[in-house]
Amino acid sequence: MSTIKNVLKAAKAALDAHQYDTTIENATKVLAEDPKHYHANVFLGLAFEKKGRNEESEKAYRAAASTKPKDSLAWQGLISLYEQQGGHKLEDYQDAVSHLASIFVEADDKTRCQTVVDKYTDFARKYGSRAQYRHSLEFVLPGSDLYEYLEGRLPHPSHTYTRISEIVEHDEKEKINIEIGQRRTRLGAKIDQVTAEVKKEVLQGSVLESLYQHVIDWTDDDDTRRLYEEKLLQHAYDTLLVLPQAQKNSKREEVIHFARGMVILKHPFALAWTINLEWKDIERLGELDVGVLREYIALFPEEGLGKILRGYLESEISVFPARAVDQDGNQDEEQNVPIMTVEDRLVLMTDGLEDSPKSVLAHRIMSEYYLYLDEHESAAETARKAQRYIVTDSQTSGLPMANNSDAINILLGTALVQYQAPRHHPEARSLFESILVRKPSDGSVLLGIGLILEEQEELHQAVGFFERAMKQAPSTKIQAEAAWCRALGGDYSNGLEELEDCLPSVEAPDLRTKALKAQILYRIGMCLWDMDHSKASRRDRNKSYARFISALQTDANFATPYTMLGIYYADYAKDRARARKCFQKAFELSSSEVVAAERLARSFAKTSEWDLVEVVAQRVVESGRLRPAPGSKKKGISWPFAALGVVQLNKLEYAKSIVSFQSALRISPKDYYSWVGLGECYHNSGRYIAATKAFEQAQKLERELGPEVLGDTWFSKYMLANVQRELGEYDAATGKYKEILNVRAKEYGVSISYLQTSIESAWRNMDLGFFGRAIDNVHEALTIAKDVVTWSTNAFNLWKCISDLYSVYTYIQSHSTDISIQDMKWLLEYGSDPESYSHLADVDQITWSAFESVIESKDTDVVLRSCLYAAILAQKRALGCCAHDPYARATAWYNLGWTEYRAHVCQRNGGISSEEDPMQYLRAAVQCFKRAIELESRNAEFWNSLAIVTSQLNRRVAQHAFVRSLYINEKNARVWTNLGIFYLIEGDIQLANDSFARAQSVDPDHAQAWLGQGLLAAQLGELTESRTLFTHAFEISNASAIQIQQSYASSTLDHLLSSPALSDEAVTLLQPLLALRRLSKQTRTNISCEHIYGLFQERIGSYADASSTLLSICSTLETDYEKSESAETLERFARSKADLSRSQLAEQDFESAADNAETALALTEDTTTSPIRVRTRLSAHLSAGMASYYQGSMDRSIDMFKNALEETQGDPEIVCLLSQVLWAKGGEQERSIAREQLFDCVERHPGHVGTILLLGAIAVVDNDRDTVEAVSDDLHSSRTRDDLNSQQHKQLAQLLHAISVLYPANEDTTLTQMSEARTAVMLGPSKSYGWSQLTKLSNEAHPAEMAVLGALSKAPPRGESSAEDISEAYAGAKRVEDIQKSIMLAPWSPLGWQALSQLLMAMMQ
């Protein structure tokens, strides 16, 4: 024991000497002997503390404290240790403080106890978190042992609760913000929903309300108490907002309790007063406590609701006195403020409504006040807002608010009854009926439904509702409405009597009573007006007139009497000026005066004051009185929409006009003139299908209503014809024009439209290639023009059409002989002035005298020249018809320019004689386009035209004009194409290509752009590409595109010459042939096109037409050569003669063929070796040789072939022809020579199929087995070649079949033939010949069917199977129906007849 004491003393001495290691060592020795030794643990804890070994120190202190828990030394050591560690051990620090304070309490040492507690609180504030500091404050709150012991020494509880509430406020706000920030980033999260959820979670578990209550309970400061009462109410209110409906009841009661307490204490906290006022569910405003209202006004004079309440209490609708009075009835001195005027009151209340945008009470009061002021629109708008806000308030508070909702709905329904009646009547009735279920005796509801039924002319039901309303709340207004309904129902006497009974009760001086009296007087006047319809009665100024005047004297702002006075003055007093003033006054006062508005609109329309018509109609539309309510007996009013449509149509606002007419037709579906107006709008806006339907509906109404109702109705038919004209239905349009002209013979607009339609139809038919139809249209137009010109000569469109109809003849020159020169002269001479034809006479030399000299001349081109002169003179006369209209004059110059340019083109192409100046028409065109540009410089078409005509005169001007045109309109494909052609002519390939590409991108269907691209490709030598482009241009172009058709036909011919296998395909020749045929109709002067046309006719087997065409070409070329003696013309003449001889040879006119071939040979005997001359002479030699052969002149034929052979240096085709002629001559020597020629040809041209076929055929005829065997190998190898046409394949198969029959490979001949047929099928499974041979050998049905399918698959346009080939395939099928088809397809072929004969014989057996 003494040892422990000694060691313990040594530990204490070492501790005092700061020898902490020694202390630890000695204390440890003591604890080894006695682990629960108190001082040893304390010394050890202190030593460890000094050494910074905190965990070991805390363990030692805890061991000491557990040994003697009532001893303070160990707990003080722990506190010291925790203080050194800052806030890391604050919870343990609190535990130590709690034990130590308990020890001091037991020791009754208040000073040391307070010191420990204060020290801990300061330490927690300094080093701890807000939550730890809060816990330190809660340590000394009332209810704890320490508070009772140290009361008076600790801070006041109110301050402590205040600090705790501030901490909790901060923590909750921070938590809400953090949670919202985290959750709002989730997928599908909505910020409002997230905010509500977070607030609900935080506020539901909040302790702030209890803290606020503690502050209120403990504080001695009234200001603090009021502040925390406000916080308490606000927090409870915020919590109520986020609680679910099921949990709102208890919390709502708390909120109401808090708010009511503040109101009782008159504490100026706006939320409390707002809750107290807004959450009262009252039927009428009179149920509110006026004292509370006045206190609210006094406390919150600048609040929005305060302003409204002040205005309300001083207004006419208030049920409370305007000033507060005491018990003796004296006015309070504090409220001795002057009463506001009506204007000031309205301004104040309006400002208040803006300042309280979500107050239901404010909106309810304002809506009621607006109703009093008859501001029905504002009342309805305000009530609608109140509806929305009351739903929000109900959801917030959990209160049903049924009475408030009904009151607001009544206000809204009452406003809607009057606002834009009857537009909103269905809604108002629905509101009233829903309230009537709960409150069947509500007078306002009954009155509202009665007014709606009165408007809907349900008069009997309306009277019933008014009578029910009278029982609940008798009033003069309801009595007057019931009387008026009886009068409207036809009971004028009783209605009049009841209305007069109402007059004594409406003598009050206030405005509303005066307005009601004026209405009653007006209605009395209307009863008198309708009781007697005679003019004398209505003229009597002592009856209705006097009542209307009295009504206005009572209320000068009552609009309806002005309308009736206007009718009186207009229809009976015949005073239009006064009538108009009355109508204007009525309409100014009320836009609902539809009758007055209609009278005004009609008067304005008669004087063409369309702006005023629009103003009147638009205001009536906005009044909302046009469309009746659903189920109403009252008819709608459509004229304002129709009037708006007419005004907008005149302003070219077609989209708006369409909407207006559609609105009119929805109200009055049988409004004929609205249908016509709608159709006209559709027509003018380009919606032709819709326009057609509209006009058809109008015509349907014409048939239903008849002319006695509608009057003259030709205009709808005229407009329908215009629509059909725009749709390209020219025949239907002209038919309708004719029908109108039969009734109105000299209607200029119809006649001109008829004329223009005929001309447009002519151009359309010309584009489609129907040239005969186009000429028929021109003849029809000429007939119309001859009629119109007799009674209207000074019309621009007339002479424009006359110019166009004569221009058509210049495009279809084959029909130019159909024109009547005398009619042309009469038409241009009728009513003319020589000066009208003098424009540009010094440039183009075209005057009336020049025209007369042309028509009297005997030249071959007199008709074409006459048409051109007539077209130009007509355009000049059109120019004189528009001298006062600069835009029309610009168009006239533009039209004249193109007509002059057409004359230049015809002159350039040789259509008219070239004795005149070749550039005179071109210069005239330039002048025309320049003058057009001077008048209208922003027209892109004018610049484009100038560029075209100047491209031959001045390239810089032309380029500038093209660029200017594109600057104005860069999306014009024609201009880009023209610019591309310009660059192509100038040799700028890149710019030309870019221009064509731009044109194609702007309009892919513009054929000329593809033509230009094709010309560019041809210039670059890309013939395949150019042919593809020409083909595409031809496919998308119209029939009048001469250059496209010419380029397409020329490129197709070149392609056929380079690919002989295609020359026999009819489909390949069909389209270019049609193009050339159209060209021949359009122009007679294009020799190249005519020559190509003749070659195509020859290739399709139309030899007579080919001979006729080529003969005409030869005649023309011969005439030209006699004039010019040109070597080029002579060469073309020789080539045409050679082609003519070939056609005549095919036509079996052998003598003419031989003569023309010899002529061609004679004309080409020069030594030049050009490819054209070689081909010409070869064709002539062959034609002459064949003609001589068929004439029986064998020697001459052989000589021709020999000459051809020499000139072509042994061409294999000529060798074959020569061999055939030699063989046909029949001599052994000739046949021997033929064999030698063929063998030599095979050596020189081993792959020539014709030579091999001919050798094989001769060998078979000669029965030369050796030659047959030699040729067979070549025949078999040739069958697999790809460069053979179908005819050569067939010839090979036939020859091999014949060889297999005559020289079988084995004794079974049938087997050999079968093998050969199968080989033919394998090599050509889609060809019919092999299957036909197999059918003959096998007598099976399947090969016959395959033969038919193969023949049909190659039928044109898919292949080149002829009628004989298909007939042969059907004949091999050996069925009756197939044999009949065979005979039908080729009745000249014996195969079908033979098959039929064999079948009949088999059937007879």
Side-chain angles (χ1 to χ4, degrees):
M1 188 65 163
S2 60
T3 304
I4 293 176
K5 287 184 178 181
N6 293 330
V7 174
L8 190 60
K9 288 181 180 180
K12 178 67 173 61
L15 185 63
D16 293 337
H18 304 294
Q19 297 176 357
Y20 304 119
D21 292 334
T22 304
T23 303
I24 293 172
E25 181 181 353
N26 292 328
T28 302
K29 290 178 180 179
V30 173
L31 290 174
E33 295 293 335
D34 184 4
K36 293 184 179 182
H37 196 282
Y38 177 77
H39 289 94
N41 278 313
V42 171
F43 293 159
L44 182 62
L46 183 58
F48 280 139
E49 178 185 349
K50 298 300 183 179
K51 293 289 289 184
R53 296 162 65 177
N54 297 330
E55 292 182 2
E56 295 171 339
S57 175
E58 181 181 6
K59 184 177 179 182
Y61 282 138
R62 287 289 180 185
S66 63
T67 303
K68 292 182 179 181
K70 298 299 182 178
D71 192 279
S72 63
L73 186 60
W75 295 110
Q76 289 175 339
L78 280 173
I79 290 173
S80 175
L81 176 65
Y82 292 147
E83 286 178 349
Q84 293 181 14
Q85 299 181 44
H88 296 293
K89 292 287 186 176
L90 201 57
E91 289 78 5
D92 297 329
Y93 190 176
Q94 181 181 353
D95 180 67
V97 169
S98 177
H99 283 86
L100 185 58
S102 299
I103 293 171
F104 291 148
V105 169
E106 291 179 2
D108 194 21
D109 190 346
K110 293 184 177 181
T111 302
R112 296 182 68 188
C113 181
Q114 180 185 354
T115 302
V116 170
V117 172
D118 290 345
K119 189 177 181 182
Y120 164 64
T121 303
D122 292 340
F123 186 84
R125 178 178 54 79
K126 183 176 181 181
Y127 295 104
S129 63
R130 283 191 300 271
Q132 291 171 335
Y133 180 50
R134 170 188 164 188
H135 291 154
S136 71
L137 294 175
E138 292 173 348
F139 187 62
V140 292
L141 285 176
S144 67
D145 294 337
L146 287 178
Y147 177 79
E148 295 177 359
Y149 179 70
L150 297 176
E151 185 175 6
R153 291 175 172 268
L154 295 176
H156 194 273
S158 63
H159 297 294
T160 306
Y161 280 119
T162 300
R163 285 196 292 271
I164 294 175
S165 64
E166 290 172 353
I167 293 171
V168 175
E169 284 176 1
H170 185 278
D171 290 344
E172 287 187 1
K173 186 181 295 184
E174 186 177 49
K175 183 177 181 180
I176 288 173
N177 292 335
I178 292 173
E179 289 295 323
I180 291 175
Q182 291 176 350
R183 297 186 189 184
R184 67 182 298 179
T185 59
R186 297 175 183 174
L187 291 176
K190 297 180 180 179
I191 184 62
D192 295 339
Q193 183 178 355
V194 168
T195 302
E197 290 176 355
V198 172
K199 285 186 175 181
K200 176 185 174 183
E201 294 173 5
V202 175
L203 295 180
Q204 272 188 311
S206 175
V207 296
L208 271 178
E209 291 183 26
S210 64
L211 292 174
Y212 291 153
Q213 189 63 52
H214 284 308
V215 174
I216 294 169
D217 293 342
W218 282 98
T219 185
D220 296 327
D221 185 3
D222 289 339
D223 293 339
T224 303
R225 182 179 295 107
R226 297 291 176 263
L227 174 63
Y228 278 87
E229 285 177 349
E230 292 177 5
K231 288 188 175 185
L232 177 60
L233 175 59
Q234 186 67 55
H235 191 278
Y237 179 76
D238 292 340
T239 305
L240 180 65
L241 293 180
V242 297
L243 285 177
Q245 292 294 328
Q247 302 176 15
K248 283 183 180 289
N249 292 336
S250 60
K251 180 58 69 174
R252 181 182 63 250
E253 295 303 323
E254 290 182 17
V255 172
I256 294 175
H257 172 72
F258 296 151
R260 186 179 296 117
M262 287 189 176
V263 171
I264 292 173
L265 296 175
K266 299 181 182 181
H267 178 59
F269 184 48
L271 178 61
W273 290 84
T274 300
I275 291 172
N276 189 63
L277 291 175
E278 299 282 357
W279 287 9
K280 288 186 180 298
D281 191 19
I282 54 175
E283 289 189 17
R284 293 172 178 80
L285 294 176
E287 298 177 19
L288 292 171
D289 186 346
V290 66
V292 174
L293 299 182
R294 296 191 192 283
E295 290 169 359
Y296 184 92
I297 295 171
L299 292 173
F300 309 104
E302 298 302 322
E303 289 288 334
L305 182 58
K307 294 178 181 178
I308 291 176
L309 289 174
R310 179 187 173 193
Y312 166 71
L313 291 178
E314 296 186 10
S315 69
E316 300 85 347
I317 65 172
S318 174
V319 297
F320 306 112
R323 291 289 186 266
V325 294
D326 55 22
Q327 295 179 353
D328 298 330
N330 299 319
Q331 188 180 42
D332 291 347
E333 294 182 1
E334 296 180 358
Q335 297 189 6
N336 190 17
V337 180
I339 299 294
M340 290 186 292
T341 63
V342 176
E343 293 78 8
D344 293 340
R345 185 185 309 123
L346 182 60
V347 171
L348 177 68
M349 296 176 75
T350 304
D351 292 342
L353 188 64
E354 293 178 357
D355 294 339
S356 54
K358 294 186 179 181
S359 171
V360 175
L361 180 60
H363 284 80
R364 179 175 173 178
I365 294 173
M366 282 304 298
S367 179
E368 189 169 336
Y369 192 58
Y370 282 138
L371 273 180
Y372 172 78
L373 297 176
D374 290 333
E375 293 290 339
H376 301 110
E377 181 180 2
S378 300
E381 182 181 353
T382 307
R384 287 189 192 281
K385 291 180 180 179
Q387 274 186 324
R388 295 195 297 269
Y389 300 148
I390 200 170
V391 171
T392 304
D393 282 0
S394 180
Q395 292 174 349
T396 299
S397 64
L399 292 170
M401 299 288 187
N403 292 327
N404 279 343
S405 180
D406 287 345
I408 290 170
N409 287 337
I410 290 173
L411 291 173
L412 176 59
T414 305
L416 293 178
V417 169
Q418 302 297 331
Y419 174 54
Q420 292 186 343
R423 175 186 292 182
H424 304 290
H425 281 185
E427 182 184 357
R429 186 169 182 176
S430 175
L431 291 171
F432 288 143
E433 288 176 347
S434 65
I435 298 171
L436 203 61
V437 174
R438 299 185 297 274
K439 300 176 181 178
S441 60
D442 192 293
S444 300
V445 174
L446 294 171
L447 175 61
I449 296 178
L451 292 173
I452 292 172
L453 293 172
E454 177 185 329
E455 178 67 26
Q456 295 178 356
E457 298 184 357
E458 299 286 349
L459 302 174
H460 181 70
Q461 297 181 39
V463 170
F465 276 94
F466 288 140
E467 290 177 348
R468 289 171 60 186
M470 282 288 292
K471 292 178 182 178
Q472 300 299 325
S475 72
T476 305
K477 177 176 176 57
I478 300 175
Q479 181 182 355
E481 292 293 343
W484 178 238
C485 285
R486 291 189 179 91
L488 292 176
D491 189 1
Y492 296 111
S493 58
N494 289 331
L496 177 61
E497 182 180 352
E498 293 181 11
L499 286 170
E500 289 178 342
D501 292 341
C502 294
L503 284 176
S505 59
V506 287
E507 297 298 335
D510 61 282
L511 295 178
R512 294 184 68 84
T513 305
K514 285 185 177 182
L516 178 58
K517 181 179 180 180
Q519 185 183 57
I520 294 172
L521 288 170
Y522 159 74
R523 289 177 174 178
I524 292 173
M526 287 303 301
C527 289
L528 296 173
W529 182 275
D530 292 332
M531 286 174 66
D532 189 353
H533 294 275
S534 65
K535 289 187 177 180
S537 175
R538 292 188 171 181
R539 284 197 186 118
D540 190 350
R541 294 191 172 224
N542 295 321
K543 292 187 176 181
S544 298
Y545 177 83
R547 302 304 189 280
F548 296 146
I549 293 296
S550 298
L552 292 177
Q553 289 173 348
T554 304
D555 184 2
N557 294 324
F558 190 22
T560 313
Y562 284 109
T563 300
M564 294 309 301
L565 285 176
I567 295 174
Y568 171 82
Y569 287 126
D571 297 345
Y572 300 99
K574 304 301 180 183
D575 190 341
R576 293 184 178 180
R578 284 189 176 182
R580 187 164 182 172
K581 289 180 180 179
C582 288
F583 290 137
Q584 287 178 340
K585 183 65 175 178
F587 191 61
E588 287 173 4
L589 290 173
S590 174
S591 60
S592 299
E593 292 302 312
V594 180
V595 176
E598 184 176 6
R599 297 271 187 143
L600 279 176
R602 292 186 183 277
S603 65
F604 291 144
K606 288 179 181 178
T607 57
S608 298
E609 298 177 79
W610 297 111
D611 291 339
L612 296 178
V613 173
E614 182 180 18
V615 170
V616 172
Q618 187 63 46
R619 191 174 174 205
V620 175
V621 168
E622 293 171 355
S623 71
R625 298 190 64 85
L626 304 184
R627 293 184 176 88
S632 174
K633 295 180 180 179
K634 200 170 184 179
K635 292 184 178 180
I637 302 170
S638 62
W639 71 261
F641 288 110
L644 278 177
V646 172
V647 173
Q648 291 157 352
L649 182 60
N650 289 333
K651 290 183 176 182
L652 308 182
E653 297 174 350
Y654 302 123
K656 294 181 180 179
S657 183
I658 288 171
V659 173
S660 297
F661 282 123
Q662 286 177 339
S663 300
L665 289 169
R666 290 190 188 100
I667 299 173
S668 301
K670 292 191 176 182
D671 186 351
Y672 169 79
Y673 295 102
S674 291
W675 281 111
V676 175
L678 179 62
E680 187 174 358
C681 293
Y682 280 136
H683 168 265
N684 293 341
S685 59
R687 299 167 63 178
Y688 301 118
I689 302 300
T692 302
K693 294 180 179 178
F695 287 125
E696 288 176 349
Q697 183 64 29
Q699 292 190 332
K700 181 180 178 182
L701 291 175
E702 289 177 15
R703 294 188 293 270
E704 292 178 1
L705 302 177
E708 60 277 1
V709 176
L710 300 176
D712 202 350
T713 58
W714 64 270
F715 184 74
S716 64
K717 187 178 294 183
Y718 167 68
M719 288 303 302
L720 180 57
N722 289 342
V723 173
Q724 292 171 333
R725 167 187 168 190
E726 296 291 347
L727 291 173
E729 300 174 4
Y730 298 114
D731 294 339
T734 53
K736 287 184 172 56
Y737 290 136
K738 288 179 183 178
E739 293 177 10
I740 298 171
L741 290 175
N742 290 335
V743 181
R744 303 175 68 90
K746 292 187 178 181
E747 187 66 45
Y748 172 75
V750 179
S751 299
I752 290 298
S753 296
Y754 185 13
L755 179 59
Q756 291 173 332
T757 303
S758 299
I759 296 298
E760 290 174 8
S761 180
W763 289 116
R764 176 65 179 276
N765 284 322
M766 189 177 71
D767 288 341
L768 296 175
F770 302 138
F771 301 125
R773 295 182 187 177
I775 294 302
D776 291 341
N777 294 135
V778 170
H779 290 165
E780 185 178 9
L782 185 59
T783 303
I784 305 165
K786 288 165 63 178
D787 175 62
V788 176
V789 79
T790 59
W791 48 271
S792 178
T793 58
N794 192 27
F796 168 78
N797 289 332
L798 170 64
W799 295 106
K800 167 68 168 59
C801 292
I802 292 173
S803 175
D804 287 345
L805 70 88
Y806 285 121
S807 296
V808 171
Y809 284 106
T810 68
Y811 289 93
I812 312 176
Q813 298 176 13
S814 61
H815 291 271
S816 58
T817 55
D818 299 341
I819 195 72
S820 171
I821 300 297
Q822 296 305 318
D823 287 346
M824 182 189 300
K825 181 179 179 182
W826 177 87
L827 194 61
L828 293 172
E829 191 175 17
Y830 192 92
S832 65
D833 179 5
E835 291 298 324
S836 61
Y837 298 128
S838 61
H839 299 288
L840 298 180
D842 56 335
V843 181
D844 61 7
Q845 307 299 321
I846 297 180
T847 60
W848 179 254
S849 58
F851 172 69
E852 289 181 326
S853 63
V854 167
I855 61 178
E856 293 173 0
S857 66
K858 303 298 182 181
D859 297 338
T860 56
D861 60 351
V862 60
V863 176
L864 180 58
R865 287 169 62 85
S866 299
C867 291
L868 288 170
Y869 275 46
I872 293 173
L873 291 174
Q875 292 288 8
K876 290 183 177 180
R877 193 159 178 181
L879 185 60
C881 295
C882 53
H884 302 293
D885 188 345
Y887 291 103
R889 194 168 179 81
T891 303
W893 279 113
Y894 173 75
N895 295 334
L896 177 59
W898 276 119
T899 310
E900 296 275 8
Y901 186 71
R902 177 60 187 167
H904 169 72
V905 171
C906 291
Q907 183 186 43
R908 183 187 62 192
N909 293 338
I912 57 178
S913 63
S914 57
E915 297 176 358
E916 303 169 341
D917 181 1
M919 303 300 286
Q920 65 183 31
Y921 300 120
L922 189 62
R923 287 195 293 270
V926 172
Q927 293 298 320
C928 292
F929 293 133
K930 283 184 177 180
R931 295 189 183 185
I933 291 172
E934 289 173 359
L935 294 169
E936 190 177 347
S937 60
R938 295 291 301 173
N939 193 310
E941 294 296 331
F942 294 176
W943 286 101
N944 176 50
S945 304
L946 178 63
I948 292 172
V949 298
T950 56
S951 59
Q952 303 177 37
L953 301 173
N954 191 321
R955 291 176 295 178
R956 296 181 65 181
V957 172
Q959 185 178 19
H960 169 74
F962 278 131
V963 173
R964 182 66 178 174
S965 177
L966 291 173
Y967 173 77
I968 298 172
N969 180 13
E970 65 176 355
K971 294 184 178 181
N972 193 323
R974 290 186 292 107
V975 181
W976 282 109
T977 302
N978 295 335
L979 181 61
I981 294 294
F982 174 79
Y983 285 136
L984 184 61
I985 294 173
E986 296 300 319
D988 195 328
I989 303 300
Q990 183 60 46
L991 287 178
N993 184 64
D994 294 343
S995 299
F996 291 137
R998 184 64 180 271
Q1000 292 162 7
S1001 65
V1002 171
D1003 184 4
D1005 293 330
H1006 187 56
Q1008 279 72 17
W1010 298 98
L1011 170 66
Q1013 198 83 38
L1015 294 173
L1016 178 61
Q1019 184 170 332
L1020 295 175
E1022 299 175 359
L1023 300 181
T1024 303
E1025 178 69 14
S1026 67
R1027 178 173 54 82
T1028 302
L1029 292 168
F1030 289 145
T1031 303
H1032 179 67
F1034 174 76
E1035 290 172 348
I1036 64 176
S1037 68
N1038 53 49
S1040 62
I1042 294 177
Q1043 183 61 44
I1044 293 177
Q1045 296 178 86
Q1046 182 176 345
S1047 300
Y1048 169 66
S1050 178
S1051 64
T1052 304
L1053 180 63
D1054 293 339
H1055 180 57
L1056 293 176
L1057 294 176
S1058 63
S1059 303
L1062 299 174
S1063 300
D1064 298 331
E1065 297 182 7
V1067 178
T1068 308
L1069 306 175
L1070 181 60
Q1071 285 191 331
L1073 182 68
L1074 293 175
L1076 290 166
R1077 185 171 181 271
R1078 288 197 292 263
L1079 278 175
S1080 68
K1081 295 285 186 180
Q1082 291 176 270
T1083 176
R1084 292 177 173 272
T1085 58
N1086 197 326
I1087 301 299
S1088 299
C1089 292
E1090 290 290 317
H1091 198 162
I1092 296 174
Y1093 183 35
L1095 295 178
F1096 272 99
Q1097 288 174 324
E1098 177 191 2
R1099 285 180 177 269
I1100 66 169
S1102 182
Y1103 302 117
D1105 292 338
S1107 298
S1108 176
T1109 301
L1110 292 170
L1111 190 61
S1112 174
I1113 293 172
C1114 290
S1115 176
T1116 302
L1117 289 173
E1118 185 175 5
T1119 303
D1120 290 346
Y1121 182 73
E1122 290 174 355
K1123 293 180 180 180
S1124 62
E1125 296 185 357
S1126 168
E1128 181 182 356
T1129 304
L1130 181 62
E1131 183 179 352
R1132 296 176 67 182
F1133 177 70
R1135 190 161 64 250
S1136 300
K1137 280 290 186 180
D1139 295 337
L1140 175 61
S1141 68
R1142 191 171 58 251
S1143 297
Q1144 291 172 335
L1145 175 64
E1147 200 179 355
Q1148 298 184 2
D1149 186 359
F1150 304 122
E1151 182 177 358
S1152 298
D1155 291 342
N1156 286 316
E1158 290 175 357
T1159 300
L1161 290 170
L1163 293 174
T1164 56
E1165 286 183 347
D1166 56 354
T1167 58
T1168 59
T1169 58
S1170 65
I1172 296 178
R1173 174 187 173 278
V1174 172
R1175 285 197 297 270
T1176 301
R1177 290 185 62 81
L1178 175 60
S1179 175
H1181 276 120
L1182 294 177
S1183 298
M1186 295 299 295
S1188 299
Y1189 169 77
Y1190 285 111
Q1191 284 180 315
S1193 179
M1194 295 295 181
D1195 294 335
R1196 177 64 179 164
S1197 175
I1198 291 171
D1199 290 341
M1200 286 295 176
F1201 286 127
K1202 286 182 178 179
N1203 291 336
L1205 198 60
E1206 291 175 0
E1207 292 193 10
T1208 58
Q1209 298 178 357
D1211 187 275
E1213 294 291 342
I1214 299 176
V1215 170
C1216 291
L1217 288 173
L1218 178 59
S1219 300
Q1220 289 174 354
V1221 173
L1222 290 172
W1223 187 271
K1225 189 173 182 181
E1228 186 61 33
Q1229 182 179 1
E1230 286 80 0
R1231 293 187 175 184
S1232 176
I1233 294 173
R1235 292 190 191 94
E1236 292 175 0
Q1237 289 288 339
L1238 290 173
F1239 279 118
D1240 290 341
C1241 184
V1242 168
E1243 291 179 1
R1244 293 195 302 272
H1245 306 283
H1248 191 259
V1249 177
T1251 306
I1252 298 172
L1253 282 170
L1254 197 54
L1255 273 175
I1258 291 174
V1260 170
V1261 172
D1262 289 344
N1263 196 17
D1264 185 353
R1265 192 178 186 92
D1266 294 336
T1267 303
V1268 168
E1269 292 177 356
V1271 172
S1272 294
D1273 294 336
D1274 291 335
L1275 291 174
H1276 281 291
S1277 62
S1278 298
R1279 296 176 75 177
T1280 59
R1281 290 170 55 180
D1282 296 331
D1283 58 341
L1284 303 183
N1285 58 31
S1286 58
Q1287 186 66 25
Q1288 289 172 328
H1289 277 294
K1290 185 175 180 179
Q1291 290 172 352
L1292 284 171
Q1294 288 174 336
L1295 182 57
L1296 287 171
H1297 176 71
I1299 291 173
S1300 66
V1301 173
L1302 297 175
Y1303 307 101
N1306 49 50
E1307 295 180 357
D1308 190 348
T1309 305
T1310 303
L1311 185 60
T1312 302
Q1313 296 177 26
M1314 187 72 74
S1315 175
E1316 190 62 39
R1318 288 172 178 166
T1319 302
V1321 169
M1322 290 296 296
L1323 292 173
S1326 63
K1327 296 180 173 61
S1328 62
Y1329 179 76
W1331 291 107
S1332 297
Q1333 293 298 325
L1334 194 59
T1335 301
K1336 295 175 182 178
L1337 295 172
S1338 64
N1339 291 324
E1340 294 180 1
H1342 177 68
E1345 293 176 359
M1346 293 301 298
V1348 171
L1349 292 174
L1352 291 176
S1353 67
K1354 295 297 182 182
R1358 294 182 297 274
E1360 63 279 1
S1361 294
S1362 63
E1364 291 89 344
D1365 295 334
I1366 302 175
S1367 175
E1368 180 183 357
Y1370 273 119
K1374 298 181 180 180
R1375 292 183 298 190
V1376 175
E1377 60 271 21
D1378 291 332
I1379 294 173
Q1380 288 176 337
K1381 292 178 182 178
S1382 173
I1383 295 172
M1384 182 195 68
L1385 287 169
W1388 61 87
S1389 174
L1391 295 176
W1393 297 104
Q1394 292 172 2
L1396 181 61
S1397 175
Q1398 293 174 4
L1399 182 63
L1400 292 175
M1401 290 178 64
M1403 293 174 63
M1404 292 174 62
Q1405 294 177 358

